[in-house]
Amino acid sequence: MSKDRVELDWQSIGFDYIETACNVRCYYRNGAWGELEVDKSAEISIPLGASCLHYGQEAFEGLKAFEGVDGRVRVFRADDHYERLCESAEAILMPIIPKELFDDAIALLLEKNRAYIPPYQSGATLYLRPMLIGMTPNVVVKPAQDFTFVVYATPVGPYFRSGIRPCRMLMMRDYDRVAPRGTGHCKVGGNYASGFMAEHIAKSEGYASAIFLDPLTKTYIEECGAANFFAIKGNRYITPKSQSILPSITNKSLMTLARELGLEVEERPVPIGELVDFDEVGACGTGAVITPIAEIKDYDTGHTYKYGNGEEIGAISRKLYDLLQAIQYGRVADKYGWTLSIFN
Ligand SMILES: *Cc1c(COP(=O)(O)O)cnc(C)c1O
């Protein structure tokens, strides 16, 4: 397939949107889904009063397609992303997308954008962004009746261009990402702008991201920006459990792999007091798989927690990272059935 590939400097592309050949769309009108359509426009026409614009009635997903060592293209855990999109949709009164429609959309999108799938070993991947948005114009606050499902693809660069680098995180109490019983467990548009200020403060203080605590008591670790938190302590993989955390599919995969490596997995509330005990700490998500954390600063007390030598990823995080990437790139057998091979 390499001869048909578009020419892009795969190593130096970042995370900005790069237009591809097309995207795929399907419209839900009068209570029914229409036909899947291919659209060459990178724009979308939305009524001024649409519920997505005013009331945040929108849900999305983020998954990746990898060209493997054998030339096959694998989509990672598409079924899990589908399930999560349905859960998000239901939580904010949007219709669920039929499984067949979702699967067809991903397959069609990849077929049409085959030339944009980055080559194996470039470190770049094709990011897929399904989204479901409320389209009905309403002046009063109420859910839409009509919805648009769009999936677009865009190549994204390697997260760590020159080796995995640990980052520093800022833990704050003054900002919440979501409400205790709100929509934190869903990937819905309305959850993210509320975290912008905390992220802005963290970045302007020189940190990679903000660590959000549980919004009710501010005593438990919840999320690292838009990534899950995990820690290694001896033989244990520890990750927070809470209704206001978005259940990361990367985290779920790492838990399975941790068990495979003989670790015990604890998914439970993680009090701030435990930060002093951890051997390794990291953030995880589709974007970077694992971002090791070398330092967490408590903004309010000034206390700093340090992990590892500040330069390298910890040994267990490294093993988990390598194993997950090996599955994504087809270097080891996919015994969990996580990857969907699109082109053979
Ligand atoms: C998407 C997301 C994650 C990571 O989930 P993955 O399925 O691993 O990509 C974590 N936290 C938040 C808030 C997210 O939006």
Side-chain angles (χ1 to χ4, degrees):
M1 75 164 283
S2 54
K3 63 181 192 301
D4 302 322
R5 202 169 347 239
V6 294
E7 285 201 22
L8 271 171
D9 184 359
W10 301 106
Q11 248 92 47
S12 66
I13 59 170
F15 290 86
D16 292 335
Y17 177 73
I18 295 172
E19 202 170 323
T20 59
C22 61
N23 50 78
V24 296
R25 307 180 185 198
C26 190
Y27 302 95
Y28 182 88
R29 288 179 188 132
N30 304 316
W33 287 101
E35 295 292 315
L36 198 56
E37 297 172 16
V38 169
D39 204 310
K40 289 199 160 61
S41 169
E43 288 174 11
I44 182 165
S45 174
I46 301 177
L48 290 177
S51 68
C52 62
L53 294 177
H54 304 266
Y55 314 124
Q57 199 183 23
E58 187 262 1
F60 66 98
E61 273 303 324
L63 65 165
K64 281 180 170 180
F66 300 81
E67 184 178 286
V69 61
D70 52 4
R72 289 187 184 196
V73 174
R74 290 173 178 79
V75 183
F76 190 66
R77 304 197 75 163
D79 291 353
D80 297 82
H81 286 278
Y82 167 74
E83 294 291 334
R84 194 170 66 185
L85 182 57
C86 290
E87 280 156 30
S88 300
E90 285 187 305
I92 55 170
L93 296 182
M94 300 196 290
I96 62 163
I97 296 155
K99 178 74 164 64
E100 205 189 342
L101 172 58
F102 183 87
D103 290 347
D104 289 351
I106 300 286
L108 184 61
L109 181 72
L110 285 172
E111 185 195 313
K112 299 281 180 195
N113 289 291
R114 210 171 158 159
Y116 291 85
I117 301 173
Y120 177 64
Q121 271 181 339
S122 64
T125 51
L126 191 70
Y127 184 79
L128 312 178
R129 170 56 64 96
M131 53 190 187
L132 178 60
I133 64 183
M135 292 293 258
T136 314
N138 287 321
V139 176
V140 294
V141 181
K142 66 171 188 179
Q145 292 89 53
D146 293 344
F147 299 86
T148 300
F149 173 50
V150 185
V151 194
Y152 74 73
T154 191
V156 292
Y159 203 87
F160 298 106
R161 220 163 275 143
S162 44
I164 302 173
R165 292 282 303 172
C167 68
R168 298 158 68 225
M169 296 277 183
L170 188 61
M171 184 169 84
M172 279 180 283
R173 287 169 192 73
D174 281 351
Y175 301 91
D176 294 322
R177 189 181 79 88
V178 289
R181 286 174 188 76
T183 51
H185 60 292
C186 305
K187 221 169 169 72
V188 297
N191 288 347
Y192 295 84
S194 48
F196 284 175
M197 186 56 86
E199 290 288 311
H200 170 74
I201 292 168
K203 291 205 168 70
S204 49
E205 300 264 333
Y207 293 84
S209 193
I211 289 193
F212 294 100
L213 298 173
D214 77 286
L216 192 61
T217 70
K218 310 279 183 179
T219 49
Y220 299 99
I221 310 289
E222 293 225 319
E223 296 229 45
C224 305
N228 273 188
F229 175 93
F230 75 93
I232 306 293
K233 166 73 183 159
N235 193 36
R236 291 177 289 152
Y237 178 101
I238 301 160
T239 192
K241 191 178 178 69
S242 148
Q243 202 189 317
S244 42
I245 291 176
L246 193 276
S248 152
I249 290 161
T250 311
N251 197 5
K252 195 161 113 175
S253 310
L254 292 173
M255 285 190 254
T256 301
L257 298 179
R259 287 192 189 94
E260 181 180 321
L261 294 176
L263 299 172
E264 271 172 46
V265 172
E266 295 178 10
E267 207 185 354
R268 56 161 171 84
V270 177
I272 296 170
E274 253 184 272
L275 285 177
V276 290
D277 296 333
F278 296 140
D279 303 327
E280 298 176 25
V281 165
C284 61
T286 295
V289 181
I290 287 176
T291 308
I293 298 173
E295 188 183 314
I296 297 174
K297 174 153 181 190
D298 186 323
Y299 194 58
D300 306 294
T301 66
H303 189 85
T304 299
Y305 303 86
K306 295 202 179 212
Y307 305 96
N309 62 9
E311 302 288 321
E312 289 160 65
I313 181 170
I316 292 178
S317 302
R318 173 95 237 176
K319 270 193 194 159
L320 289 167
Y321 178 91
D322 287 346
L323 189 49
L324 187 54
Q325 287 260 281
I327 295 170
Q328 291 172 327
Y329 285 106
R331 292 189 293 258
V332 299
D334 169 23
K335 58 182 169 188
Y336 303 106
W338 286 343
T339 61
L340 176 73
S341 234
I342 298 277
F343 308 118
N344 293 311

mmCIF file of all heavy atoms in Angstrom, residues 72-108:
data_model
loop_
_atom_site.group_PDB
_atom_site.id
_atom_site.type_symbol
_atom_site.label_atom_id
_atom_site.label_comp_id
_atom_site.label_asym_id
_atom_site.label_seq_id
_atom_site.Cartn_x
_atom_site.Cartn_y
_atom_site.Cartn_z
ATOM 1 N N ARG A 72 -0.697 -5.077 7.802
ATOM 2 C CA ARG A 72 -2.140 -5.004 8.070
ATOM 3 C C ARG A 72 -2.463 -3.752 8.868
ATOM 4 O O ARG A 72 -1.616 -3.260 9.615
ATOM 5 C CB ARG A 72 -2.587 -6.183 8.917
ATOM 6 C CG ARG A 72 -2.578 -7.483 8.187
ATOM 7 C CD ARG A 72 -3.193 -8.536 9.075
ATOM 8 N NE ARG A 72 -3.109 -9.834 8.438
ATOM 9 C CZ ARG A 72 -3.823 -10.880 8.823
ATOM 10 N NH1 ARG A 72 -4.652 -10.780 9.834
ATOM 11 N NH2 ARG A 72 -3.705 -12.018 8.195
ATOM 12 N N VAL A 73 -3.690 -3.308 8.736
ATOM 13 C CA VAL A 73 -4.112 -2.146 9.518
ATOM 14 C C VAL A 73 -5.053 -2.632 10.609
ATOM 15 O O VAL A 73 -6.030 -3.328 10.337
ATOM 16 C CB VAL A 73 -4.808 -1.104 8.618
ATOM 17 C CG1 VAL A 73 -5.366 0.028 9.456
ATOM 18 C CG2 VAL A 73 -3.817 -0.577 7.589
ATOM 19 N N ARG A 74 -4.722 -2.298 11.848
ATOM 20 C CA ARG A 74 -5.520 -2.742 12.986
ATOM 21 C C ARG A 74 -6.172 -1.556 13.685
ATOM 22 O O ARG A 74 -5.494 -0.570 13.985
ATOM 23 C CB ARG A 74 -4.633 -3.473 13.995
ATOM 24 C CG ARG A 74 -4.140 -4.811 13.527
ATOM 25 C CD ARG A 74 -3.137 -5.400 14.494
ATOM 26 N NE ARG A 74 -2.717 -6.725 14.047
ATOM 27 C CZ ARG A 74 -1.821 -6.941 13.082
ATOM 28 N NH1 ARG A 74 -1.237 -5.925 12.481
ATOM 29 N NH2 ARG A 74 -1.517 -8.170 12.723
ATOM 30 N N VAL A 75 -7.456 -1.697 13.947
ATOM 31 C CA VAL A 75 -8.151 -0.680 14.737
ATOM 32 C C VAL A 75 -8.223 -1.240 16.155
ATOM 33 O O VAL A 75 -8.617 -2.397 16.355
ATOM 34 C CB VAL A 75 -9.565 -0.416 14.196
ATOM 35 C CG1 VAL A 75 -10.235 0.697 14.991
ATOM 36 C CG2 VAL A 75 -9.503 -0.024 12.729
ATOM 37 N N PHE A 76 -7.833 -0.427 17.123
ATOM 38 C CA PHE A 76 -7.733 -0.930 18.492
ATOM 39 C C PHE A 76 -9.039 -0.775 19.268
ATOM 40 O O PHE A 76 -9.526 0.341 19.466
ATOM 41 C CB PHE A 76 -6.591 -0.218 19.222
ATOM 42 C CG PHE A 76 -6.265 -0.842 20.561
ATOM 43 C CD1 PHE A 76 -5.733 -2.125 20.628
ATOM 44 C CD2 PHE A 76 -6.508 -0.165 21.738
ATOM 45 C CE1 PHE A 76 -5.438 -2.722 21.852
ATOM 46 C CE2 PHE A 76 -6.217 -0.747 22.971
ATOM 47 C CZ PHE A 76 -5.680 -2.033 23.019
ATOM 48 N N ARG A 77 -9.581 -1.893 19.698
ATOM 49 C CA ARG A 77 -10.749 -1.990 20.570
ATOM 50 C C ARG A 77 -11.949 -1.144 20.116
ATOM 51 O O ARG A 77 -12.589 -0.445 20.918
ATOM 52 C CB ARG A 77 -10.365 -1.683 22.030
ATOM 53 C CG ARG A 77 -9.245 -2.601 22.522
ATOM 54 C CD ARG A 77 -9.099 -2.628 24.025
ATOM 55 N NE ARG A 77 -10.164 -3.415 24.642
ATOM 56 C CZ ARG A 77 -10.126 -3.890 25.895
ATOM 57 N NH1 ARG A 77 -9.093 -3.625 26.668
ATOM 58 N NH2 ARG A 77 -11.120 -4.588 26.390
ATOM 59 N N ALA A 78 -12.253 -1.251 18.827
ATOM 60 C CA ALA A 78 -13.373 -0.491 18.269
ATOM 61 C C ALA A 78 -14.695 -0.830 18.973
ATOM 62 O O ALA A 78 -15.535 0.054 19.189
ATOM 63 C CB ALA A 78 -13.485 -0.748 16.767
ATOM 64 N N ASP A 79 -14.854 -2.102 19.344
ATOM 65 C CA ASP A 79 -16.105 -2.507 20.004
ATOM 66 C C ASP A 79 -16.283 -1.800 21.344
ATOM 67 O O ASP A 79 -17.400 -1.407 21.708
ATOM 68 C CB ASP A 79 -16.133 -4.024 20.251
ATOM 69 C CG ASP A 79 -16.236 -4.809 18.950
ATOM 70 O OD1 ASP A 79 -16.415 -4.174 17.892
ATOM 71 O OD2 ASP A 79 -16.136 -6.047 19.001
ATOM 72 N N ASP A 80 -15.188 -1.643 22.067
ATOM 73 C CA ASP A 80 -15.265 -0.962 23.365
ATOM 74 C C ASP A 80 -15.564 0.531 23.183
ATOM 75 O O ASP A 80 -16.292 1.128 23.971
ATOM 76 C CB ASP A 80 -13.949 -1.141 24.129
ATOM 77 C CG ASP A 80 -13.697 -2.604 24.428
ATOM 78 O OD1 ASP A 80 -13.201 -3.321 23.532
ATOM 79 O OD2 ASP A 80 -14.036 -3.045 25.534
ATOM 80 N N HIS A 81 -14.975 1.115 22.143
ATOM 81 C CA HIS A 81 -15.265 2.527 21.871
ATOM 82 C C HIS A 81 -16.727 2.700 21.455
ATOM 83 O O HIS A 81 -17.368 3.683 21.821
ATOM 84 C CB HIS A 81 -14.313 3.073 20.794
ATOM 85 C CG HIS A 81 -12.926 3.302 21.318
ATOM 86 N ND1 HIS A 81 -12.577 4.437 22.019
ATOM 87 C CD2 HIS A 81 -11.825 2.522 21.290
ATOM 88 C CE1 HIS A 81 -11.303 4.342 22.385
ATOM 89 N NE2 HIS A 81 -10.825 3.194 21.962
ATOM 90 N N TYR A 82 -17.234 1.710 20.716
ATOM 91 C CA TYR A 82 -18.648 1.754 20.332
ATOM 92 C C TYR A 82 -19.549 1.712 21.575
ATOM 93 O O TYR A 82 -20.468 2.516 21.725
ATOM 94 C CB TYR A 82 -18.984 0.584 19.392
ATOM 95 C CG TYR A 82 -20.467 0.412 19.219
ATOM 96 C CD1 TYR A 82 -21.197 1.312 18.445
ATOM 97 C CD2 TYR A 82 -21.161 -0.602 19.880
ATOM 98 C CE1 TYR A 82 -22.577 1.190 18.321
ATOM 99 C CE2 TYR A 82 -22.532 -0.731 19.764
ATOM 100 C CZ TYR A 82 -23.236 0.175 18.985
ATOM 101 O OH TYR A 82 -24.594 0.065 18.874
ATOM 102 N N GLU A 83 -19.238 0.770 22.478
ATOM 103 C CA GLU A 83 -20.045 0.634 23.704
ATOM 104 C C GLU A 83 -20.027 1.938 24.510
ATOM 105 O O GLU A 83 -21.054 2.382 25.023
ATOM 106 C CB GLU A 83 -19.479 -0.481 24.599
ATOM 107 C CG GLU A 83 -19.569 -1.886 24.019
ATOM 108 C CD GLU A 83 -20.996 -2.398 23.947
ATOM 109 O OE1 GLU A 83 -21.820 -1.936 24.756
ATOM 110 O OE2 GLU A 83 -21.272 -3.243 23.071
ATOM 111 N N ARG A 84 -18.852 2.524 24.602
ATOM 112 C CA ARG A 84 -18.739 3.743 25.408
ATOM 113 C C ARG A 84 -19.498 4.901 24.749
ATOM 114 O O ARG A 84 -20.122 5.714 25.436
ATOM 115 C CB ARG A 84 -17.260 4.096 25.623
ATOM 116 C CG ARG A 84 -17.053 5.131 26.710
ATOM 117 C CD ARG A 84 -15.592 5.281 27.082
ATOM 118 N NE ARG A 84 -14.806 5.838 25.992
ATOM 119 C CZ ARG A 84 -13.479 5.988 26.033
ATOM 120 N NH1 ARG A 84 -12.782 5.606 27.102
ATOM 121 N NH2 ARG A 84 -12.830 6.499 25.010
ATOM 122 N N LEU A 85 -19.457 4.947 23.423
ATOM 123 C CA LEU A 85 -20.198 6.006 22.720
ATOM 124 C C LEU A 85 -21.699 5.852 22.975
ATOM 125 O O LEU A 85 -22.415 6.839 23.185
ATOM 126 C CB LEU A 85 -19.891 5.971 21.215
ATOM 127 C CG LEU A 85 -20.545 7.047 20.348
ATOM 128 C CD1 LEU A 85 -20.188 8.459 20.834
ATOM 129 C CD2 LEU A 85 -20.156 6.892 18.882
ATOM 130 N N CYS A 86 -22.170 4.610 23.006
ATOM 131 C CA CYS A 86 -23.596 4.372 23.281
ATOM 132 C C CYS A 86 -23.946 4.817 24.698
ATOM 133 O O CYS A 86 -24.998 5.429 24.921
ATOM 134 C CB CYS A 86 -23.947 2.899 23.091
ATOM 135 S SG CYS A 86 -23.910 2.393 21.374
ATOM 136 N N GLU A 87 -23.061 4.507 25.651
ATOM 137 C CA GLU A 87 -23.323 4.919 27.039
ATOM 138 C C GLU A 87 -23.363 6.444 27.162
ATOM 139 O O GLU A 87 -24.206 7.007 27.849
ATOM 140 C CB GLU A 87 -22.261 4.332 27.976
ATOM 141 C CG GLU A 87 -22.563 2.884 28.320
ATOM 142 C CD GLU A 87 -21.326 2.090 28.726
ATOM 143 O OE1 GLU A 87 -20.375 2.679 29.274
ATOM 144 O OE2 GLU A 87 -21.331 0.863 28.483
ATOM 145 N N SER A 88 -22.450 7.110 26.477
ATOM 146 C CA SER A 88 -22.433 8.579 26.493
ATOM 147 C C SER A 88 -23.715 9.129 25.878
ATOM 148 O O SER A 88 -24.324 10.061 26.400
ATOM 149 C CB SER A 88 -21.226 9.112 25.710
ATOM 150 O OG SER A 88 -20.017 8.662 26.266
ATOM 151 N N ALA A 89 -24.121 8.534 24.753
ATOM 152 C CA ALA A 89 -25.319 8.999 24.044
ATOM 153 C C ALA A 89 -26.550 8.873 24.945
ATOM 154 O O ALA A 89 -27.328 9.829 25.088
ATOM 155 C CB ALA A 89 -25.514 8.192 22.761
ATOM 156 N N GLU A 90 -26.692 7.717 25.576
ATOM 157 C CA GLU A 90 -27.866 7.493 26.421
ATOM 158 C C GLU A 90 -27.909 8.442 27.616
ATOM 159 O O GLU A 90 -28.980 8.883 28.013
ATOM 160 C CB GLU A 90 -27.880 6.041 26.915
ATOM 161 C CG GLU A 90 -28.289 5.075 25.816
ATOM 162 C CD GLU A 90 -28.470 3.657 26.326
ATOM 163 O OE1 GLU A 90 -27.529 3.123 26.933
ATOM 164 O OE2 GLU A 90 -29.564 3.099 26.109
ATOM 165 N N ALA A 91 -26.718 8.765 28.148
ATOM 166 C CA ALA A 91 -26.662 9.619 29.341
ATOM 167 C C ALA A 91 -27.182 11.026 29.081
ATOM 168 O O ALA A 91 -27.638 11.705 29.993
ATOM 169 C CB ALA A 91 -25.226 9.680 29.859
ATOM 170 N N ILE A 92 -27.096 11.479 27.817
ATOM 171 C CA ILE A 92 -27.586 12.833 27.521
ATOM 172 C C ILE A 92 -28.719 12.802 26.481
ATOM 173 O O ILE A 92 -28.888 13.722 25.685
ATOM 174 C CB ILE A 92 -26.437 13.798 27.110
ATOM 175 C CG1 ILE A 92 -25.625 13.258 25.936
ATOM 176 C CG2 ILE A 92 -25.515 14.076 28.302
ATOM 177 C CD1 ILE A 92 -24.647 14.288 25.355
ATOM 178 N N LEU A 93 -29.480 11.721 26.551
ATOM 179 C CA LEU A 93 -30.704 11.566 25.769
ATOM 180 C C LEU A 93 -30.521 11.676 24.261
ATOM 181 O O LEU A 93 -31.287 12.343 23.569
ATOM 182 C CB LEU A 93 -31.776 12.566 26.250
ATOM 183 C CG LEU A 93 -32.256 12.365 27.690
ATOM 184 C CD1 LEU A 93 -33.337 13.380 28.036
ATOM 185 C CD2 LEU A 93 -32.796 10.948 27.923
ATOM 186 N N MET A 94 -29.503 10.988 23.780
ATOM 187 C CA MET A 94 -29.329 10.889 22.329
ATOM 188 C C MET A 94 -29.558 9.436 21.928
ATOM 189 O O MET A 94 -29.356 8.522 22.731
ATOM 190 C CB MET A 94 -27.914 11.322 21.926
ATOM 191 C CG MET A 94 -27.601 12.767 22.311
ATOM 192 S SD MET A 94 -26.157 13.420 21.439
ATOM 193 C CE MET A 94 -24.845 12.483 22.191
ATOM 194 N N PRO A 95 -29.977 9.199 20.678
ATOM 195 C CA PRO A 95 -30.230 7.817 20.249
ATOM 196 C C PRO A 95 -28.916 7.056 20.134
ATOM 197 O O PRO A 95 -27.882 7.654 19.814
ATOM 198 C CB PRO A 95 -30.855 7.988 18.856
ATOM 199 C CG PRO A 95 -30.324 9.294 18.363
ATOM 200 C CD PRO A 95 -30.171 10.162 19.584
ATOM 201 N N ILE A 96 -28.936 5.768 20.422
ATOM 202 C CA ILE A 96 -27.703 5.001 20.225
ATOM 203 C C ILE A 96 -27.547 4.708 18.737
ATOM 204 O O ILE A 96 -28.519 4.702 17.972
ATOM 205 C CB ILE A 96 -27.627 3.726 21.083
ATOM 206 C CG1 ILE A 96 -28.752 2.774 20.730
ATOM 207 C CG2 ILE A 96 -27.610 4.065 22.573
ATOM 208 C CD1 ILE A 96 -28.488 1.370 21.243
ATOM 209 N N ILE A 97 -26.320 4.500 18.351
ATOM 210 C CA ILE A 97 -26.003 4.213 16.961
ATOM 211 C C ILE A 97 -26.019 2.698 16.801
ATOM 212 O O ILE A 97 -25.427 1.987 17.616
ATOM 213 C CB ILE A 97 -24.604 4.783 16.637
ATOM 214 C CG1 ILE A 97 -24.635 6.304 16.778
ATOM 215 C CG2 ILE A 97 -24.123 4.365 15.265
ATOM 216 C CD1 ILE A 97 -23.302 6.909 17.086
ATOM 217 N N PRO A 98 -26.701 2.180 15.771
ATOM 218 C CA PRO A 98 -26.666 0.724 15.583
ATOM 219 C C PRO A 98 -25.225 0.251 15.378
ATOM 220 O O PRO A 98 -24.439 0.938 14.725
ATOM 221 C CB PRO A 98 -27.505 0.497 14.326
ATOM 222 C CG PRO A 98 -28.344 1.741 14.180
ATOM 223 C CD PRO A 98 -27.530 2.853 14.757
ATOM 224 N N LYS A 99 -24.900 -0.902 15.938
ATOM 225 C CA LYS A 99 -23.528 -1.426 15.867
ATOM 226 C C LYS A 99 -23.047 -1.555 14.422
ATOM 227 O O LYS A 99 -21.909 -1.226 14.088
ATOM 228 C CB LYS A 99 -23.485 -2.794 16.567
ATOM 229 C CG LYS A 99 -22.134 -3.492 16.548
ATOM 230 C CD LYS A 99 -21.173 -2.827 17.519
ATOM 231 C CE LYS A 99 -19.951 -3.679 17.841
ATOM 232 N NZ LYS A 99 -19.081 -3.961 16.724
ATOM 233 N N GLU A 100 -23.948 -2.026 13.577
ATOM 234 C CA GLU A 100 -23.587 -2.232 12.174
ATOM 235 C C GLU A 100 -23.231 -0.905 11.498
ATOM 236 O O GLU A 100 -22.297 -0.832 10.694
ATOM 237 C CB GLU A 100 -24.765 -2.894 11.462
ATOM 238 C CG GLU A 100 -24.360 -3.676 10.255
ATOM 239 C CD GLU A 100 -25.561 -4.138 9.436
ATOM 240 O OE1 GLU A 100 -26.696 -4.155 9.967
ATOM 241 O OE2 GLU A 100 -25.332 -4.467 8.259
ATOM 242 N N LEU A 101 -23.965 0.135 11.855
ATOM 243 C CA LEU A 101 -23.702 1.457 11.287
ATOM 244 C C LEU A 101 -22.334 1.964 11.726
ATOM 245 O O LEU A 101 -21.551 2.485 10.924
ATOM 246 C CB LEU A 101 -24.816 2.431 11.724
ATOM 247 C CG LEU A 101 -24.616 3.914 11.395
ATOM 248 C CD1 LEU A 101 -24.444 4.137 9.902
ATOM 249 C CD2 LEU A 101 -25.803 4.742 11.921
ATOM 250 N N PHE A 102 -22.027 1.768 12.991
ATOM 251 C CA PHE A 102 -20.726 2.200 13.523
ATOM 252 C C PHE A 102 -19.602 1.434 12.812
ATOM 253 O O PHE A 102 -18.636 2.029 12.323
ATOM 254 C CB PHE A 102 -20.684 1.951 15.032
ATOM 255 C CG PHE A 102 -19.418 2.418 15.699
ATOM 256 C CD1 PHE A 102 -19.301 3.728 16.152
ATOM 257 C CD2 PHE A 102 -18.337 1.556 15.883
ATOM 258 C CE1 PHE A 102 -18.137 4.172 16.781
ATOM 259 C CE2 PHE A 102 -17.170 1.990 16.509
ATOM 260 C CZ PHE A 102 -17.073 3.297 16.964
ATOM 261 N N ASP A 103 -19.744 0.113 12.739
ATOM 262 C CA ASP A 103 -18.704 -0.716 12.110
ATOM 263 C C ASP A 103 -18.521 -0.353 10.635
ATOM 264 O O ASP A 103 -17.398 -0.250 10.145
ATOM 265 C CB ASP A 103 -19.057 -2.205 12.228
ATOM 266 C CG ASP A 103 -18.936 -2.708 13.657
ATOM 267 O OD1 ASP A 103 -18.358 -1.999 14.509
ATOM 268 O OD2 ASP A 103 -19.435 -3.817 13.938
ATOM 269 N N ASP A 104 -19.643 -0.156 9.950
ATOM 270 C CA ASP A 104 -19.561 0.202 8.525
ATOM 271 C C ASP A 104 -18.896 1.561 8.350
ATOM 272 O O ASP A 104 -18.138 1.782 7.407
ATOM 273 C CB ASP A 104 -20.968 0.258 7.899
ATOM 274 C CG ASP A 104 -21.578 -1.129 7.751
ATOM 275 O OD1 ASP A 104 -20.862 -2.123 7.977
ATOM 276 O OD2 ASP A 104 -22.786 -1.212 7.420
ATOM 277 N N ALA A 105 -19.198 2.476 9.265
ATOM 278 C CA ALA A 105 -18.624 3.828 9.182
ATOM 279 C C ALA A 105 -17.103 3.771 9.318
ATOM 280 O O ALA A 105 -16.380 4.399 8.537
ATOM 281 C CB ALA A 105 -19.226 4.722 10.272
ATOM 282 N N ILE A 106 -16.621 2.994 10.279
ATOM 283 C CA ILE A 106 -15.165 2.878 10.490
ATOM 284 C C ILE A 106 -14.506 2.222 9.269
ATOM 285 O O ILE A 106 -13.482 2.694 8.766
ATOM 286 C CB ILE A 106 -14.859 2.050 11.774
ATOM 287 C CG1 ILE A 106 -15.463 2.709 13.025
ATOM 288 C CG2 ILE A 106 -13.352 1.797 11.933
ATOM 289 C CD1 ILE A 106 -14.768 3.930 13.539
ATOM 290 N N ALA A 107 -15.125 1.145 8.786
ATOM 291 C CA ALA A 107 -14.539 0.423 7.646
ATOM 292 C C ALA A 107 -14.506 1.310 6.396
ATOM 293 O O ALA A 107 -13.495 1.372 5.687
ATOM 294 C CB ALA A 107 -15.324 -0.856 7.372
ATOM 295 N N LEU A 108 -15.605 2.011 6.148
ATOM 296 C CA LEU A 108 -15.685 2.876 4.967
ATOM 297 C C LEU A 108 -14.693 4.044 5.075
ATOM 298 O O LEU A 108 -14.004 4.384 4.111
ATOM 299 C CB LEU A 108 -17.124 3.401 4.815
ATOM 300 C CG LEU A 108 -17.433 4.254 3.588
ATOM 301 C CD1 LEU A 108 -17.190 3.477 2.294
ATOM 302 C CD2 LEU A 108 -18.900 4.737 3.626
#
